[in-house]
Amino acid sequence: MDKIAVLIPCYNEEKTVEKVVRDFKAVLPEAVIYVYDNNSSDRTVELAEKAGAVVRHEYMQGKGNVIRRMFREIDAEVYVMTDGDDTYPAEFAREMVDKVLEHQADMVVGDRLSSTYFTENKRPFHNFGNSLVRGTINRLFHTEIKDIMTGYRAFSYQFVKTFPVLSKGFEIETEMTIHAADKNMQVDNVIIEYRDRPEGSESKLNTYSDGAKVLMSIAKLYRNYKPMNFFGLLALVLAVMSIGFFIPVLMEYIATGLVPKFPTLIACGFAMMAAIQSVFAGLVLSAGAQRSRQEFEMNLIKVDMHYKELKENDR
């Protein structure tokens, strides 16, 4: 088992990957640097190997697929995940590692948004999107995480081996954050500096399509992790609509004794029935979510025992 593993998912990062590997080797000389290539068509692999990284491959396209492969294959006491585009300075890695090793953090978030992100990043919609996602998740899940979508993080062994990677693409950071919040795992923030990509290095993110995927991912995860809240809100909306359209029909019936808008009355009835069904769906799924949390805690105990065995074997 490695003491520290630095994980760098890469897709066509020949302009920056060599520098990123060398920077992290300088800051964390005891770490093993892993570069996972995701079907690059340039010299990413060659330059990563030249810089001293262990290069492996994931042939299913997408950052989520790469991270799934990393988490399955590597055992370490602490993991540092960063991007290969040289936007995250390596000098903050030691503080993030110490948060895991000495303060029992399960996930440490490299917080760009509290420092230089909004001045360095030249894409205004990305700035807006990061703020929107941060505000939405912190309100929905009652957290105080400062940067939801940062790619610079540190993890404990227990987090990595109990995190079910479901996302295939850039929604993975959002999924990590919500998983940690729902499972009551310790999340610490470390303020980092952010620098924009160097000239000639192109982002793989599509502002609109990837942003839409992230928002859809938040809605799905909220439904799965907080089903009573999700379906309760849906029931409230349906009930308000039903009552809102029913009141004029009722008032006219009181005044004239007639119901000339039978289709509206029928629609109101169906909407109210759907609201009641939503409440019961939320109750049933909430019981399932509670059971899932209990199973997670039992699995966490097993993972922790395995972690201790690995450390003993290394000694």
Side-chain angles (χ1 to χ4, degrees), residues 6 8 21 32-37 48-49 51-57:
V6 177
I8 310 176
V21 173
V32 180
I33 314 294
Y34 294 93
V35 170
Y36 272 68
D37 178 65
E49 290 176 338
V54 177
V55 177
R56 296 180 180 176
H57 299 271

Side-chain angles (χ1 to χ4, degrees), residues 41 173 189 263 273 309:
S41 57
E173 285 92 357
N189 299 283
M273 290 173 59
E309 290 175 2

Side-chain angles (χ1 to χ4, degrees), residues 158-293:
Q158 289 81 357
F159 180 93
V160 165
K161 298 305 180 181
T162 58
F163 172 54
V165 182
L166 303 177
S167 300
K168 298 178 181 179
F170 286 100
E171 318 93 277
I172 184 67
E173 285 92 357
T174 305
E175 187 180 344
M176 288 175 175
T177 303
I178 293 176
H179 173 76
D182 180 72
K183 297 302 187 291
N184 197 32
M185 306 189 90
Q186 182 178 330
V187 180
D188 289 348
N189 299 283
V190 170
I191 296 176
I192 65 167
E193 293 180 2
Y194 175 85
R195 53 196 177 213
D196 205 7
R197 281 174 170 267
E199 187 176 352
S201 176
E202 296 182 2
S203 173
K204 314 304 184 300
L205 278 170
N206 182 292
T207 302
Y208 302 104
S209 64
D210 286 318
K213 288 177 184 177
V214 168
L215 293 175
M216 287 297 297
S217 178
I218 292 172
K220 290 177 182 177
L221 291 169
Y222 189 62
R223 180 196 64 196
N224 294 339
Y225 286 131
K226 304 283 187 181
M228 191 63 247
N229 293 2
F230 180 87
F231 285 99
L233 180 61
L234 179 60
L236 179 62
V237 171
L238 289 170
V240 168
M241 289 176 58
S242 175
I243 294 170
F245 282 100
F246 175 71
I247 287 175
V249 176
L250 177 62
M251 296 301 292
E252 189 166 355
Y253 174 77
I254 293 173
T256 66
L258 301 174
V259 183
K261 298 179 179 178
F262 266 105
T264 301
L265 182 62
I266 294 170
C268 290
F270 277 113
M272 186 58 71
M273 290 173 59
I276 295 170
Q277 288 178 326
S278 292
V279 170
F280 282 101
L283 289 171
V284 172
L285 293 173
S286 183
Q290 180 64 27
R291 188 162 53 250
S292 176
R293 291 188 189 96

